[in-house]
Amino acid sequence: MPRLVIISNRLPITINRKDGELHYHPSAGGLATGLNSLDQSLERIWIGWPGQEVNDPEEQEVIRQDLLEEGLVPVFLTQQEISLYYEGFSNKTIWPHFHYFTQYTTYNDEYWEAYQQANRKFADATIPLIRPDDLVWVHDYQLMLLPAMIRQAFPKVSIGFFLHIPFPSYEVFRVLPWRKEILEGVLGADQIGFHTFNYMRHFLSASYRIAGFEHNFGKLTVGNRLINVDVFPMGIDYDKYAFPEINLNGDDSSFSIKQLAKGKKLIISIDRLDYTKGIPNRLLTFEKFLKKYPEYHRKVSLMMLVVPSRANVDQYQELKEQVDKLVGNINGQFGTFDWTPVQYFYRSLNFSELITLYQEGDIALITPLRDGMNLVAKEYVASKEKSKDGVLILSEMAGASNELMDALIVNPQDANGIVDAIHQALVMTEHERRWRLTNMQEKLKKYNVRHWAATFFKEQKKLMEKQQDQQTHQISAEEREQLISKYRTANKRLLMLDYDGTLMGFHNDPQAVQPDGELLDLLQQLAEKEENQVVVNSGRDRHTLQEWLGHLPIQFAAEHGVWVKKDKDWEINSSLNNKWKKEIRPVLENLVERTPGSFIEEKDYSVAWHYRSIDRDLGEKRVREFRDVLLYLTHNLDLQVLEGNKVVEIKNAGVNKGKATDLWLNGTDWEFILAIGDDHTDEDIFKVLPDSAFTIKVGLDRSIANYSLPGVSEVRSLLKEILAQ
Ligand SMILES: O=P(O)(O)OC[C@H]1O[C@H](O[C@H]2O[C@H](CO)[C@@H](O)[C@H](O)[C@H]2O)[C@H](O)[C@@H](O)[C@@H]1O
Ligand SMILES: O=c1ccn([C@@H]2O[C@H](COP(=O)(O)OP(=O)(O)O)[C@@H](O)[C@H]2O)c(=O)[nH]1
């Protein structure tokens, strides 16, 4: 079993100093409680900050030894790091920005500098502990540069990254001056996980638009590495909340909570003090409710628990004052001698108090303006396992709303909607409360925190196997040797080479990919050898191939097999006609008119619509729109539609690179065949070649070729090696 190496900003244990003494207690917040519930049988180490400034080396050593027993490794942050990296870049830049509070985003180079250095500090603490077969998990927005730093030290180790907060829309993310560095940091990981599909697609969109990485159903290739981006909604330790192992009656404060709840309907509200949680909005909504429904005065109370958090960040201090004031206003306005409408606590609760609150709460009012997941919502539902009684009102802006559809889902900005939901919850029948809770509980039981971790773990291992497969698919030194030795002894050799993406790199302007001197020399020398027949089998038109390569002693297939040049002249595939062009052309012209930047390429017996320099998503939308029209037309006209890399090409049916390849296969007993190509039109070549041929796919995509090479420069090196024989 590989070990799990977890790195998060905060350890699940926080240290507090009281009267000069150090105290250890569990950290608040979803990440710590969630990850701490993981299967303890898995060997793991956890590296992170213990939440307290400790400068004395002797004291640091004592803490290190204490934590070691729990498999925890502390990273000590200095006061300056805490204020610039944690309170600064993490909580004044990324946190507000990723939660769409862009008015709070602080742009400060000093913070950014500190963020980089602190990520380096976590890397320095982690790297010496990593073993090559470990599974490394980096967590959250404080450590977005860390995956790439670990990758640099361990090119092969498997790294997972999970973001616990939302990943914002590309339009918001792009505003950050450090967007590219942040993305590249995360892309150092092999598997990247998010709570919801929306966060995932925002990330993929940013990776494409900012760093140029295209994806295929969440899989993308960075350099030589396959990356998996996916959704892994985090669950809770269901049983811990459903069947709490505590004696509720023996606990004084739990008893008091029960007393408070007696004879009234209790609405509970539990969050860290954070502007993302929408606490002031919630209070204003409750005020609205009390105004609209006076009949509920003295019958309903809001028990609001606000857990202190990030107290040194300005907005959090301001928020505290705002909340204090709002609570005062409501209580002053509506309170009576025997009823306090808002019971407000600014502190954290111990587990038994928290459970009592969950169990006593008739309604949980959870209305964050944005929230990565929100585990409180899930914990509330689980704690109703026995009673099956309670109503969850949940913001649609919390990641959890994607799973808890049977809650009363509200828009946190729609105060009237929430007032209605509170009323609906109060009058809801017992039957409805039960079925809503039961449905949600079923989900939470299955998709618990262990399931979350196990799925992430399983997918990361599956990915490792896939990556391994790709590595083995890549031609090894030994196989290269076999290829060379076969080449050496053969007297009749066929070298069938694609052009774009194989011999030359890809470019937005197809005419800008003229062969360079090195390529011309290479082809010239290969073709000069008497035993060799070099064929460039390309989708390009014959005029371009003629102009660029026509002077070389090589043969050609152009336009995906429409034209062939074996001797001096170009010959056409006899089954072709181009009468159909006048019907297709207007369809493509309409595409160009509506899509600036796209263009039509007309070849002798085919027409192509290129969208390589426009937004890929827009291009694909256009292709989808026109696919039906094209299919209808092409069916009547016996044509085929080839969807290539940012291009749709229409031509006569039954003509492709493979058919053209047949022209070289028939009649010659080749003793050595090598075919190299990069896109799916080259698969037609690989298909028709005999098993003895060496077929090589350029890139990491799936292929029926025997081997793969990463890119154009590796193709050229192989050809040079062959030439040296
Ligand atoms: O460490 P702090 O600065 O005190 O903040 C506490 C944690 O808050 C954030 O929690 C997020 O993760 C939860 C679990 O995935 C999720 O339910 C919630 O919506 C998120 O806000 C933060 O991501 C953690 O790093 C902090 O430790
Ligand atoms: O006094 C408290 C109140 C809450 N929590 C825990 O803090 C976590 C809050 O996680 P959530 O995902 O709701 O929000 P976050 O604070 O991570 O943004 C939950 O597991 C709560 O059980 C806690 O430990 N002590």
Side-chain angles (χ1 to χ4, degrees), residues 501-565:
T502 299
L503 297 175
M504 289 295 294
F506 208 65
H507 195 280
N508 272 350
D509 173 10
Q511 289 316 109
V513 196
Q514 295 194 20
D516 52 56
E518 183 193 65
L519 177 62
L520 290 173
D521 265 6
L522 196 55
L523 291 174
Q524 172 76 36
Q525 291 183 49
L526 279 169
E528 268 170 7
K529 302 232 177 208
E530 207 185 312
E531 302 87 344
N532 289 356
Q533 179 56 62
V534 177
V535 178
V536 169
N537 192 343
S538 167
R540 280 188 178 265
D541 70 85
R542 69 187 161 122
H543 305 291
T544 307
L545 291 178
Q546 180 64 36
E547 188 191 327
W548 289 354
L549 302 169
H551 61 287
L552 299 173
I554 61 179
Q555 300 184 339
F556 297 95
E559 287 188 32
H560 297 112
V562 171
W563 289 97
V564 168
K565 186 185 173 207

Side-chain angles (χ1 to χ4, degrees), residues 405-420:
M405 293 104 167
D406 291 299
L408 298 182
I409 303 289
V410 293
N411 173 352
Q413 297 288 11
D414 175 14
N416 293 323
I418 301 176
V419 168
D420 291 346

Side-chain angles (χ1 to χ4, degrees), residues 10 86 140 142 164 195 234 272 310 371-374:
R10 195 182 278 280
Y86 170 69
D140 232 357
Q142 302 93 343
H164 292 260
H195 282 309
M234 187 173 176
R272 276 183 306 107
R310 305 172 194 170
D371 209 336
M373 172 55 79
N374 196 299

Side-chain angles (χ1 to χ4, degrees), residues 10-230:
R10 195 182 278 280
L11 283 174
I13 286 183
T14 295
I15 300 173
N16 262 353
R17 200 190 296 278
K18 220 175 178 185
D19 309 325
E21 291 277 306
L22 293 175
H23 297 269
Y24 298 81
H25 59 88
S27 309
L31 193 155
T33 43
L35 278 180
N36 211 26
S37 314
L38 289 184
D39 190 350
Q40 306 287 328
S41 65
L42 196 70
E43 196 191 341
R44 64 145 217 230
I45 48 175
W46 190 330
I47 299 150
W49 174 52
Q52 169 76 45
E53 188 196 358
V54 183
N55 292 322
D56 175 11
E58 271 179 36
E59 203 172 40
Q60 287 188 355
E61 195 43 41
V62 173
I63 295 171
R64 204 170 272 124
Q65 291 310 323
D66 286 348
L67 293 179
L68 199 61
E69 289 166 24
E70 312 281 331
L72 307 178
V73 179
V75 174
F76 294 104
L77 298 177
T78 63
Q79 191 45 54
Q80 198 182 10
E81 285 162 341
I82 294 170
S83 85
L84 301 179
Y85 145 75
Y86 170 69
E87 289 159 3
F89 199 79
S90 300
N91 286 327
K92 287 188 197 163
T93 305
I94 305 188
W95 179 272
H97 203 76
F98 279 34
H99 285 86
Y100 296 81
F101 279 79
T102 50
Q103 71 276 27
Y104 292 163
T105 310
T106 309
Y107 299 90
N108 180 327
D109 286 335
E110 215 188 339
Y111 288 174
W112 168 240
E113 191 56 39
Y115 186 76
Q116 294 172 84
Q117 280 173 17
N119 271 253
R120 172 56 55 203
K121 189 170 195 173
F122 278 87
D124 291 345
T126 306
I127 288 166
L129 303 176
I130 291 180
R131 297 184 201 147
D133 61 344
D134 283 342
L135 244 78
V136 179
W137 281 6
V138 179
H139 285 269
D140 232 357
Y141 63 98
Q142 302 93 343
L143 299 175
M144 293 180 95
L145 306 180
L146 186 57
M149 290 176 176
I150 300 176
R151 170 70 53 221
Q152 228 180 6
F154 287 92
K156 291 257 150 48
V157 79
S158 185
I159 305 174
F161 176 81
F162 192 86
L163 187 71
H164 292 260
I165 65 172
F167 193 94
S169 138
Y170 159 70
E171 285 301 333
V172 169
F173 181 70
R174 70 188 297 198
V175 177
L176 282 182
W178 312 279
R179 61 201 183 179
K180 195 151 189 279
E181 290 86 336
I182 291 175
L183 267 182
E184 284 170 354
V186 172
L187 288 168
D190 299 282
Q191 176 158 282
I192 301 165
F194 299 92
H195 282 309
T196 75
F197 181 64
N198 277 339
Y199 309 159
M200 166 184 160
R201 70 183 176 81
H202 292 156
F203 176 79
L204 287 171
S205 160
S207 302
Y208 169 59
R209 289 180 164 80
I210 293 167
F213 296 115
E214 294 188 23
H215 75 97
N216 189 9
F217 296 106
K219 296 267 187 310
L220 44 96
T221 306
V222 172
N224 225 344
R225 206 159 35 86
L226 181 70
I227 294 180
N228 179 36
V229 181
D230 211 338

Side-chain angles (χ1 to χ4, degrees), residues 359-472:
Q359 290 184 346
E360 295 297 322
D362 298 289
I363 298 170
L365 186 58
I366 301 181
T367 54
L369 302 175
R370 292 277 166 185
D371 209 336
M373 172 55 79
N374 196 299
L375 298 179
V376 166
K378 295 187 169 183
E379 292 165 5
Y380 173 73
V381 171
S383 71
K384 301 293 185 182
E385 171 68 26
K386 278 194 195 129
S387 71
K388 294 279 186 288
D389 201 4
V391 183
L392 173 65
I393 300 178
L394 180 61
S395 160
E396 64 185 52
M397 303 299 172
S401 68
N402 288 274
E403 296 157 85
L404 302 177
M405 293 104 167
D406 291 299
L408 298 182
I409 303 289
V410 293
N411 173 352
Q413 297 288 11
D414 175 14
N416 293 323
I418 301 176
V419 168
D420 291 346
I422 296 175
H423 186 253
Q424 188 187 345
L426 288 167
V427 298
M428 192 180 280
T429 62
E430 195 190 334
H431 172 73
E432 183 173 348
R433 298 200 295 265
R434 175 175 279 270
W435 71 249
R436 282 180 183 272
L437 274 174
T438 314
N439 284 354
M440 293 191 279
Q441 285 168 346
E442 287 311 311
K443 274 195 201 132
L444 295 180
K445 260 178 228 173
K446 175 162 186 226
Y447 299 101
N448 61 24
V449 70
R450 267 173 289 278
H451 181 274
W452 170 74
T455 314
F456 196 88
F457 196 69
K458 207 159 102 196
E459 291 303 305
Q460 195 168 335
K461 283 177 83 183
K462 253 179 26 202
L463 176 71
M464 280 164 81
E465 279 160 25
K466 238 187 214 143
Q467 288 171 328
Q468 210 106 53
D469 259 14
Q470 285 191 334
Q471 294 299 327
T472 43

Side-chain angles (χ1 to χ4, degrees), residues 187-344:
L187 288 168
D190 299 282
Q191 176 158 282
I192 301 165
F194 299 92
H195 282 309
T196 75
F197 181 64
N198 277 339
Y199 309 159
M200 166 184 160
R201 70 183 176 81
H202 292 156
F203 176 79
L204 287 171
S205 160
S207 302
Y208 169 59
R209 289 180 164 80
I210 293 167
F213 296 115
E214 294 188 23
H215 75 97
N216 189 9
F217 296 106
K219 296 267 187 310
L220 44 96
T221 306
V222 172
N224 225 344
R225 206 159 35 86
L226 181 70
I227 294 180
N228 179 36
V229 181
D230 211 338
V231 182
F232 302 92
M234 187 173 176
I236 54 164
D237 182 349
Y238 189 85
D239 291 351
K240 180 173 159 192
Y241 295 90
F243 312 105
E245 286 172 6
I246 43 173
N247 178 4
L248 292 177
N249 296 326
D251 188 312
D252 275 358
S253 29
S254 300
F255 178 75
S256 316
I257 294 173
K258 281 186 170 183
Q259 290 302 105
L260 268 173
K262 253 196 185 141
K264 282 188 206 76
K265 287 284 178 191
L266 197 64
I267 303 178
I268 61 164
S269 151
I270 301 174
D271 325 78
R272 276 183 306 107
L273 181 78
D274 200 304
Y275 47 82
T276 60
K277 304 283 183 183
I279 302 170
N281 294 45
R282 200 173 308 159
L283 284 164
L284 288 169
T285 306
F286 186 60
E287 184 181 18
K288 220 174 182 146
F289 169 80
L290 293 177
K291 279 187 183 150
K292 185 167 176 187
Y293 294 102
E295 64 269 33
Y296 281 102
H297 290 195
R298 302 174 64 218
K299 294 192 181 124
V300 173
S301 291
L302 174 66
M303 171 98 73
M304 177 168 267
L305 173 68
V306 175
V307 180
S309 176
R310 305 172 194 170
N312 290 330
V313 178
D314 294 346
Q315 283 98 22
Y316 290 71
Q317 290 166 5
E318 287 159 21
L319 181 64
K320 167 79 174 50
E321 286 162 24
Q322 200 187 352
V323 171
D324 290 353
K325 231 190 206 150
L326 284 169
V327 172
N329 277 348
I330 298 174
N331 285 342
Q333 219 182 132
F334 302 97
T336 58
F337 290 113
D338 59 351
W339 174 55
T340 310
V342 185
Q343 308 271 351
Y344 169 49

